[in-house]
Amino acid sequence: EAGVTQSPTHLIKTRGQQATLRCSPISGHTSVYWYQQALGLGLQFLLWYDEGEERNRGNFPPRFSGRQFPNYSSELNVNALELEDSALYLCASSLEGLGYTFGSGTRLTVV
Amino acid sequence: AQSVSQHNHHVILSEAASLELGCNYSYGGTVNLFWYVQYPGQHLQLLLKYFSGDPLVKGIKGFEAEFIKSKFSFNLRKPSVQWSDTAEYFCAVKGNQAGTALIFGKGTTLSVSS
């Protein structure tokens, strides 16, 4: 089966711009999770979507937002980009929280 | 709120040495526990997980972890490491209450010299 796919692989944006990251879950998985992996900080939980609804949100400002589409794919939007937003953004999918499969991530660089 | 603490930031071992990476969590209820590994340039992979039952869990590549409920710990072990075990290791916990997310520790970098 195809794994979790994320696009783009790399993204370079200027401070103040907006970034849109995309994730396609494993077929049959209804939950999508977004994490930020910044150097030295591990994986920090950003957002969780299930069945099209936001279920939980990590300690990030409102300029981090997203949505889940009817086909369970998801978008993460980051508005008003700051230099500190430079990180690897990981998406994971699961079915009823029994196992989490991660994608390879989108490397966002803000200059 | 749940949290995860990994005690070692960077561990350096020689091949064939034994490994133990510490992980403690904070959560006031039943938890599911995970260890993930991230090899250089690769995506996160599940090493092992604990949901219930035998607190000694065996995973892939010879890794195991022991859940000690009284200590809120889920330490990862391997009797004899290989150079190919060089990677970053993450402990993660998910509380069983509805709406709780999977929370990760900051990770431990393991460097194994041949």
Side-chain angles (χ1 to χ4, degrees):
Chain A
E1 70 180 359
V4 176
T5 57
Q6 293 188 243
S7 63
T9 307
H10 292 87
L11 191 58
I12 300 176
K13 292 286 187 178
T14 304
R15 190 170 52 182
Q17 285 188 316
Q18 179 198 41
T20 298
L21 289 63
R22 296 179 177 83
C23 172
S24 292
I26 287 175
S27 177
H29 285 191
T30 60
S31 284
V32 170
Y33 307 80
W34 287 96
Y35 290 86
Q36 182 194 69
Q37 188 177 13
L39 199 61
L41 296 179
L43 279 80
Q44 294 185 283
F45 168 67
L46 264 167
L47 289 160
W48 168 17
Y49 292 96
D50 181 58
E51 299 282 0
E53 300 284 333
E54 183 181 298
R55 299 297 184 191
N56 202 341
R57 180 184 182 85
N59 189 24
F60 280 84
R63 57 191 186 82
F64 287 84
S65 65
R67 54 180 171 167
Q68 187 177 33
F69 299 98
N71 66 354
Y72 303 116
S73 67
S74 177
E75 263 183 11
L76 173 68
N77 294 295
V78 188
N79 293 320
L81 284 164
E82 301 179 1
L83 297 178
E84 310 83 75
D85 298 332
S86 294
L88 181 67
Y89 288 83
L90 294 171
C91 171
S93 74
S94 79
L95 181 61
E96 299 178 349
L98 297 178
Y100 300 78
T101 304
F102 283 81
S104 299
T106 294
R107 174 73 62 184
L108 173 64
T109 303
V110 183
V111 297
Chain B
Q2 60 199 60
S3 64
V4 181
S5 174
Q6 291 184 241
H7 314 302
N8 314 101
H9 179 63
H10 193 181
V11 173
I12 301 172
L13 295 173
S14 299
E15 272 193 319
S18 64
L19 169 72
E20 180 160 3
L21 301 183
C23 173
N24 283 89
Y25 68 91
S26 171
Y27 184 73
T30 304
V31 293
N32 297 328
L33 297 157
F34 306 79
W35 275 97
Y36 281 86
V37 61
Q38 190 173 36
Y39 297 103
Q42 296 187 27
H43 63 275
L44 274 169
Q45 299 173 41
L46 180 66
L47 267 181
L48 47 80
K49 62 186 177 185
Y50 172 80
F51 284 178
S52 64
D54 188 345
L56 185 61
V57 181
K58 295 193 184 299
I60 61 172
K61 304 187 181 187
F63 286 91
E64 66 177 31
E66 185 176 11
F67 171 49
I68 302 180
K69 188 175 181 180
S70 61
K71 294 185 178 180
F72 298 90
S73 70
F74 190 55
N75 292 354
L76 181 71
R77 299 194 292 249
K78 186 171 184 178
S80 176
V81 295
Q82 301 172 310
W83 176 81
S84 57
D85 293 324
T86 295
E88 191 156 17
Y89 293 80
F90 294 93
C91 180
V93 61
K94 183 182 184 306
N96 70 333
Q97 284 186 320
T100 55
L102 182 66
I103 301 300
F104 285 80
K106 288 189 177 357
T108 297
T109 301
L110 172 63
S111 299
V112 180
S113 58
S114 56

